[in-house]
Amino acid sequence: MTLLTPLPAGWHSRINYATAPVSVSILLLAITVRLPFDLPESLGYALSPAAVIMAGIHAFYTLGAYRFAAKRNSELASLAGFILYLILVSLIIQAASVQTGIFVSLWTIALFIAGAYGPILLGSLGLLSVIYFALAQTGTLGSYTTYRPLTFGITLVSVAISFLFWNNISQESSPFAKGLRRKRSKDDKLTIDPEILINSMGDGVVVIDTDGIIQVFNPSAASITGWQQEEALSLDYKSVLILTDPKGTPQPETSNPFIKCLQSGNVIKDGDTFIKSRSGKQLDLSMAVSPIKSPEGGVVAAVGIFRDVSEERSEQRQRAEFISTASHEMRTPVAAIEGYLALAMNERVAKIDSNARNYLQKAHSSTQHLGKLFKDLLTAARSEDGRLVSSPKVIEVGAFLEEISEGIKFAAEKKTLKLEFDYSGKQGGPIAASGQTIRPVYYIQADPDRMREVITNLFDNAVKYTEQGKITITMSADDKTVTIGVSDTGIGIPPEDIPHLFQKFYRVDNTATRAIGGTGLGLFIARKIVELYNGRVWVESKYGEGSTFYIQLPRLTPEQAGELIKQEATRQSPLGDMNREVSRPTTEINAPAQPTAKTGKDEVIS
């Protein structure tokens, strides 16, 4: 038998320990019988061997075994202790055969507690009491059994009080009452219990302690994983949340978001997690794990919030596949049209008047824009489903930026914009020392072609949205990261648009931007590429004053960079190809655009 309505936390243990003094008292009375003290005759009769043994069992359970049983199910553990108490009281009354006030009190306590386990048990014990007293009145139980009418009244009152008390407690502890209980105050604010919030969430919620034991597991988590709440609680989370990669291989501990959160104390977001449910079905998850910290600042637990996004991911993959196929197929005819238009405008191939040439130039420009759109669509689709081709190599950032600038500076010069470099990480020009510019040497590992695509896109955007002033490329680093910045003095970005700027197809829509063309995919692709190398990209902007886009990537030490270059070289074969590949990183990565002299970890440019 279980509770019809859950009791508030702690009531089960209170009931258990409330009956413990009865059995302890019986044991103490049993000891005093052997001592030279006189006991009332009625009490002496009650100390039958069976009653004393049951008192010992009840005392052992309530003061010892209950603690372990309650860890599995506190309600059933409490009910077991109450049944032992009923047996003990029954044995005492049966042995005494006298309705002494003490024994009536013990039975009254039993009737009061019975209401905690529902009206069925309470009504059964109340009926049993009436039958017992009726038999006692008729003398059926023996002439030695006495009956007092007051006892009958006490029984009925006890049943009524028990029912009213426990019914009130149960109603207060119901989810509805707990979640929507109002605190009457001047402003009459509604306070909601956290438990009902967690249980009402559509996302799965699981809380684990530092030992990896599940402490909270809401219904949505049970629905996603296939584990019942009662089964999952107190289990190791790794046996319930089986995280895998797309192929179903168990996720290594170094990638586990719960372990990373407990170790670092930071919020870990993972949008590409997979989980194997209890039935063996693999699901796509979107998960975020946050640390729970003590007042002293230490991590004491981690809370994971996750949702099943299998259906959404499947639709995304279908859309991406369609876009990829369509973009690939349409690039060929668009390229052909662009080629024929170029031939038509070639004076050596065709003779056309100025008006026709003007129309062909507009058509050629539109075709180029269409070709770029198809290319961006194809790149975006590949970045979403993990098919983006990437060949990471060691890059010396300073030389790499100078190399890129040679190809992009003409776009700025066409609009009479000034291009500056700042190796201090702050705007305002390079650091000068004795007529020379100091350029620090920072290494990263990324695909040079992909990073060139990202920086070129940010630079082109800066040029498009800046009518006068300058564009500054900055470079800075700390022990772990290298940060590249592209700043402009253009129109800036409204604050409400900044959170959405790196989303697919999102463009700032105002009078200043409507006349400027674009696909809305450049920044989305840039974010995907940077994230491919465990980096991040963000923007800081003041509307009307300009913007700065930042790229932050993990930094390599010179020793790590050298070792990776050696590994790149040894992977090349045959020997001739290897030598050519060894020289390539040196030219592409390490060689500065101007003659330099080494000064420790910096390069000094004349």
Side-chain angles (χ1 to χ4, degrees), residues 98-401:
V98 179
Q99 295 177 43
T100 308
I102 295 177
F103 301 144
V104 173
S105 300
L106 295 179
W107 189 253
T108 302
I109 293 172
L111 289 174
F112 178 77
I113 295 175
Y117 302 99
I120 296 177
L121 181 59
L122 176 61
S124 300
L125 291 181
L127 181 61
L128 181 63
S129 302
V130 172
I131 294 173
Y132 176 82
F133 291 129
L135 293 175
Q137 185 179 16
T138 60
T140 305
L141 298 179
S143 59
Y144 55 85
T145 302
T146 60
Y147 169 74
R148 295 174 184 171
L150 180 61
T151 306
F152 182 75
I154 293 174
T155 299
L156 295 180
V157 172
S158 299
V159 171
I161 292 175
S162 176
F163 177 78
L164 294 174
F165 178 83
W166 294 111
N167 185 60
N168 182 61
I169 293 294
S170 298
Q171 288 181 352
E172 290 185 357
S173 64
S174 66
F176 180 81
K178 287 173 64 179
L180 302 179
R181 187 180 301 129
R182 284 185 179 273
K183 288 185 177 179
R184 296 296 179 182
S185 59
K186 292 182 180 179
D187 53 4
D188 196 29
K189 290 184 178 179
L190 180 67
T191 59
I192 301 178
D193 189 276
E195 183 179 350
I196 193 170
L197 287 179
I198 293 174
N199 289 335
S200 301
M201 290 179 64
D203 293 344
V205 178
V206 58
V207 177
I208 67 168
D209 58 23
T210 53
D211 295 325
I213 304 302
I214 296 177
Q215 303 298 328
V216 175
F217 199 75
N218 76 339
S220 295
S223 176
I224 293 173
T225 62
W227 285 80
Q228 296 297 322
Q229 284 182 275
E230 297 78 9
E231 296 176 320
L233 292 174
S234 301
L235 292 179
D236 190 310
Y237 80 99
K238 294 179 183 177
S239 61
V240 176
L241 301 176
I242 305 176
L243 305 180
T244 68
D245 61 16
K247 297 180 180 179
T249 305
Q251 194 178 60
E253 290 192 357
T254 53
S255 303
N256 191 297
F258 286 96
I259 295 178
K260 291 166 68 175
C261 176
L262 290 172
Q263 291 178 347
S264 65
N266 299 323
V267 177
I268 305 297
K269 296 182 179 181
D270 193 341
D272 299 315
T273 302
F274 294 83
I275 188 172
K276 186 176 291 185
S277 68
R278 194 173 187 181
S279 62
K281 183 179 180 181
Q282 183 162 298
L283 305 173
D284 290 28
L285 290 187
S286 176
M287 176 179 286
V289 184
S290 304
I292 300 175
K293 298 183 178 180
S294 65
E296 292 75 22
V299 178
V300 296
V303 53
I305 302 177
F306 55 92
R307 67 174 59 182
D308 180 6
V309 292
S310 301
E311 186 175 348
E312 293 91 330
R313 294 270 173 81
S314 177
E315 293 175 353
Q316 288 177 2
R317 284 191 286 267
Q318 291 176 4
R319 288 196 298 268
E321 185 176 352
F322 170 77
I323 292 173
S324 177
T325 303
S327 301
H328 182 75
E329 293 298 327
M330 285 189 281
R331 284 181 66 189
T332 301
V334 169
I337 294 171
E338 184 180 348
Y340 285 126
L341 289 173
L343 287 173
M345 292 186 296
N346 191 334
E347 295 181 354
R348 297 180 181 180
V349 176
K351 299 295 183 180
I352 55 177
D353 59 28
S354 59
N355 289 333
R357 181 178 298 278
N358 184 40
Y359 295 144
L360 290 175
Q361 286 176 341
K362 291 180 179 180
H364 187 260
S365 177
S366 297
T367 306
Q368 286 181 320
H369 177 73
L370 189 59
K372 185 179 186 305
L373 173 60
F374 289 147
K375 179 183 176 183
D376 288 347
L377 283 170
L378 189 60
T379 304
R382 287 174 175 172
S383 67
E384 285 188 304
D385 59 17
R387 294 186 294 113
L388 196 63
V389 178
S390 174
S391 301
K393 294 180 175 63
V394 175
I395 299 175
E396 197 274 280
V397 180
F400 183 67
L401 292 177

Side-chain angles (χ1 to χ4, degrees), residues 451 454-455 457-458 461 482-486 498-499 501-503 522-540 548-554:
M451 290 307 303
V454 172
I455 296 172
N457 178 272
L458 297 182
N461 284 345
V482 176
T483 303
I484 301 169
V486 178
I498 290 178
L501 207 58
F502 294 93
Q503 295 176 0
L523 293 178
F524 171 78
I525 293 172
R527 176 174 67 85
K528 286 292 186 179
I529 292 175
V530 172
E531 289 176 351
L532 193 64
Y533 308 115
N534 299 318
R536 67 187 188 102
V537 59
W538 74 97
V539 62
E540 296 177 0
T548 302
F549 285 81
Y550 293 99
I551 304 167
Q552 190 174 77
L553 293 165

Side-chain angles (χ1 to χ4, degrees), residues 464-465 491 507-518:
K464 283 196 297 184
Y465 296 103
I491 59 177
R507 297 193 69 223
V508 177
D509 186 15
N510 55 40
T511 55
T513 61
R514 286 179 190 139
I516 302 175

